[in-house]
Amino acid sequence: MELRNYETVFILTPVLSEQQTKDAVEKFKKILTDNNAEIINEEAWGIRKLAYPIQNKQTGYYYIVEFKAEGTLVAKLELEYKRDEKVIRFLTTVLDKHAVAYNERKQKGLVGKKPVAAEAKAE
């Protein structure tokens, strides 16, 4: 089966201790690695304000993982999200070639910066 690039973001309830948060993140990363997924990048965004209240909570702990895996893994991962009461929201998307290229540039720190040539012309 063909490996595809995915990105998953999950939001944990903000009432967890730091250790509980780490344990939850490790649990989901272990599900990925146990199912032969290659974790490409991961980002902890930390506690952020939610766009609207979820389960009477105004904030949540955001965590993003970019990975490469078979399509059957997504169903297993999302089932675990649904079973875990610490997760208040999640979303997994398939990344096309443009999104993969964008993520690579973002990891190198090239996103959001003006090209050097444009800065030289402005001066």
Side-chain angles (χ1 to χ4, degrees), residues 78-95:
E78 291 190 345
L79 181 63
E80 289 299 321
Y81 286 151
K82 290 175 186 175
R83 288 180 175 166
D84 196 327
E85 61 191 27
K86 297 174 190 133
V87 177
I88 56 177
R89 281 289 188 276
F90 63 88
L91 179 67
T92 304
T93 57
V94 178
L95 300 178

Side-chain angles (χ1 to χ4, degrees), residues 19-20 29 37 48 64 69 71 78 83 98 100 102 105 120:
Q19 186 59 45
Q20 289 173 315
K29 285 173 41 181
R48 299 267 175 117
I64 298 174
E78 291 190 345
R83 288 180 175 166
H98 303 293
V100 171
Y102 174 82
R105 288 195 333 265

